[in-house]
Amino acid sequence: HAESKSVKHKYTNRLVDESSPYLLQHAHNPVDWYPWGEEAFAKAKREDKPIFLSIGYSTCHWCHVMEEDVFSDPEAAALINRIFVPIKVDREERPDIDQVYMTVSQIMTGSGGWPLNVFMTADKQPFYVATYIPKLPSFGRPGVMQLLPRIEHAWKNDRKGITESAQSITRALQSANDGTSAKPGEISPAIFKDTFTQLSQLYDARHGGFGRDRKFPRPHNMRYLLRHWKRTGDASALKMVEETLLAMRKGGIYDQVGFGFHRYATDEAWKLPHFEKMLYDQALIAMAYLETYAATGKQTYADTAREIFTYVLRDMTSPEGLFYSAEDADSEGEEGLFYLWTADELEQALGKTDAALIGQVFNVERSGNFKDEASGKKSGRNIFYREMDWERLAKNAGLKREELNSRIESARQRLFTLREGRIHPFKDEKALVDWNGLMIAALAMGGRLLDEPAYTQAADRAAKLILDKMRLKNGRLLHRWNRGDAGIAGTLDDYAFFVWGLMELYQAGLDSSVLNAALELNSIMMKEFEDPDQGGFFLTAEGAESLLIRPKEIYDGAIPSGNSVALLNMLRLARLTGESSLEKRAQSTAEAFYGVIKKGPFGYTQFISGLDFALSEGYEIVIVGDPDAEDTRAMLKSLNRQFQPNAVVILRTQKKDGDAITELAPFTRFHTSIDGKATAYVCQNFSCNRPTTDIGEMLKLLSPD
């Protein structure tokens, strides 16, 4: 940022004063960009110009292409500046604006994507949308140089038509937003069978994952299937999860050299990735592997989660301890270049013997196994992916499994060191509270299930930073941190995802102050975001900037919706505290959206996991004991090894600070230890079984059959 101001540039616009890495990428375009704000809208009104709104994010491949092809081109920029007031928005900084105009794109074109380019009136009403627009026409796609004069002509000569179109689109947008809350529906356990049936129909039995062609990880589907398996014992649900996670770990979607998952696979077999790495993917996918490890005890799932955390803590963590947002797909102007290898490079780095082994394991071809996504032609480079399991690979190589592992790990480390010397993809170093909340949840879950205090400590450090540096005096959250600067009002997702992180952190460390922070923020969320008329929660707070609609999201896409996460948060907090009003709020949220969800449950699996928590057998487990004593630690460790997604654990100490938990969870005040030993109370609906000091007896109460 400071550097960009000191370097001499031919062009500089208002974005130079912004902190968003995406906006700063456009600060030296010849386009006269404005950030979203009153100055731009006032200019549009004063000069009677339409607005050209362009929304993207810093690691978006086609956003880069359009920036180079159009926004850096003086001829195209002159046209944009003459006809429009141009506004740039970082969708990750302003998810509320993005949500509104992405819905417009879906209504008008049936699809969406980024960059999202919206042509609209000065009162924010859209009349035309497009995604990537080249400078000149290409394969039937109109170019900027032809499209923009046509829009100018319509603006000058058919203003009535444009106004009517904009009003009509705005009405359709408002109607679509109203439809996110259907009539309150009576919730039935039949939804679970319907969800499982739909997931089974969409499951790719050959390659794992859901759907054909492009493959997205969809971790909420897998976490729901684990709950279905736990509730019903249906082994096919667990099989779908395991096959998918194993296929993903073998595939090119996984960075076999440096760890972490790329955004999605461009093929059905997980081999060829789109190379972006997003923080939220690392968090959500890690949780799917961790829960599958807890369910099966199979080490490969624990190992994958550990590797994801190695990547995040090494490459995606700021000096203060917050987590960066994303890494780009491109380096040196080419997608994936950082991650790809030629056969010659491997031989030079490893020698012929080890290069041949790596080639055999990871399907390296002399002519390259990687095809360019756009042209479909081989590039001469290779992406690493496995097709065989380790046993077959060891047999084929004539090695013992341990020897194969050792040689591959040695080669991986050498390649990683070599790769570190390459020009790295751009890293978006802003930290967002919602995505950090997901990573805090994942690390805390990892700390608990893997008995790894370093993960819990990393989660705790990030949580404390957010609570200390990203809250206003009234307790409200801010959304974005970048280079010491916190700003932008928090959305529903910031509250819901961070509360999720705090609850996982409480389950990992059982520190009552963490639970108290979760309750405080959840209370602000309910007060500021709830829809008192139709139920559920808006994306923006009461009194936030007025957009065409106050958006309300329920779809569980790449990221689960704030409503889905809030539902489960309220249910878990109700179980932890015995506060029945939280359960009532959760029920009204569930009823508000149930009519929408039951029509196509595949798109709402995080929400349905919340319903599973509400309707399935759940447990409140109160451990009374000294947190530093060996027997208490042993009891907690044995609990942490269980896959009990619908259980919550509360620690009541016999020390003075034991009073803190009874303030938050009054039903624990009569729980005492037996003979000074660590004592477990296994409760259902706040009705507890006879206390026990025996770990085996406690575990039996959690698995009565």
Side-chain angles (χ1 to χ4, degrees), residues 474-476 492 495 519-532 536-538 540-544 550 566 570 582 585 589:
N474 60 11
R476 289 191 187 186
L492 171 65
Y495 287 85
L519 285 162
E520 282 179 6
L521 288 168
N522 193 72
S523 178
I524 292 170
M525 180 199 79
M526 292 190 301
K527 179 169 175 278
E528 299 295 336
F529 293 87
E530 195 166 29
D531 179 348
F537 297 93
F538 293 110
T540 53
E542 183 72 38
R550 196 174 170 197
M570 291 185 291
L582 285 166
R585 301 289 266 280
T589 298

Side-chain angles (χ1 to χ4, degrees), residues 320-532:
E320 311 97 327
L322 291 174
F323 305 111
Y324 297 140
S325 293
E327 286 195 300
D328 209 330
D330 300 15
S331 56
E332 302 179 67
E334 192 173 330
E335 185 178 356
L337 185 63
F338 181 74
Y339 299 100
L340 300 172
W341 302 88
T342 65
D344 287 343
E345 282 175 326
L346 295 174
E347 284 181 8
Q348 285 166 15
L350 303 173
K352 286 205 167 181
T353 306
D354 279 353
L357 179 65
I358 287 294
Q360 191 180 352
V361 170
F362 291 113
N363 295 284
V364 172
E365 297 173 17
R366 179 63 57 185
S367 60
N369 67 19
F370 185 75
K371 292 179 181 175
D372 180 77
E373 189 184 354
S375 69
K377 290 179 181 172
K378 285 191 174 181
S379 65
R381 297 190 179 96
N382 291 274
I383 183 77
F384 285 2
Y385 60 84
R386 284 193 291 123
E387 289 181 307
M388 293 183 214
D389 60 36
W390 289 119
E391 279 70 21
R392 267 183 71 197
L393 285 166
K395 189 177 175 187
N396 288 359
L399 298 169
K400 288 184 176 168
R401 170 79 189 268
E402 295 73 24
E403 192 183 350
L404 177 70
N405 285 357
S406 171
R407 283 183 57 187
I408 289 172
E409 178 56 18
S410 167
R412 184 198 70 77
Q413 288 179 12
R414 279 179 281 162
L415 292 175
F416 176 75
T417 302
L418 184 64
R419 197 178 79 175
E420 282 295 280
R422 293 177 174 178
I423 294 172
H424 282 242
F426 172 80
K427 189 178 294 180
D428 187 330
E429 293 185 353
K430 70 176 181 295
L432 303 174
V433 166
D434 47 355
W435 298 5
N436 269 254
L438 295 175
M439 200 68 235
I440 289 164
L443 282 162
M445 188 186 285
R448 178 170 61 83
L449 292 175
L450 303 175
D451 191 20
E452 186 53 80
Y455 298 154
T456 308
Q457 286 159 13
D460 187 58
R461 186 163 70 136
K464 284 194 167 89
L465 261 161
I466 291 169
L467 291 169
D468 186 38
K469 306 283 189 192
M470 300 190 68
R471 287 182 90 181
L472 298 170
K473 284 181 181 166
N474 60 11
R476 289 191 187 186
L477 288 171
L478 294 168
H479 173 58
R480 182 261 298 131
W481 171 273
N482 196 21
R483 295 187 175 91
D485 171 48
I488 305 177
T491 67
L492 171 65
D493 292 3
D494 292 308
Y495 287 85
F497 295 3
F498 185 44
V499 167
W500 182 5
L502 290 171
M503 277 195 296
E504 291 298 343
L505 194 53
Y506 174 68
Q507 293 297 271
L510 298 168
D511 174 350
S512 60
S513 69
V514 173
L515 178 59
N516 188 50
L519 285 162
E520 282 179 6
L521 288 168
N522 193 72
S523 178
I524 292 170
M525 180 199 79
M526 292 190 301
K527 179 169 175 278
E528 299 295 336
F529 293 87
E530 195 166 29
D531 179 348

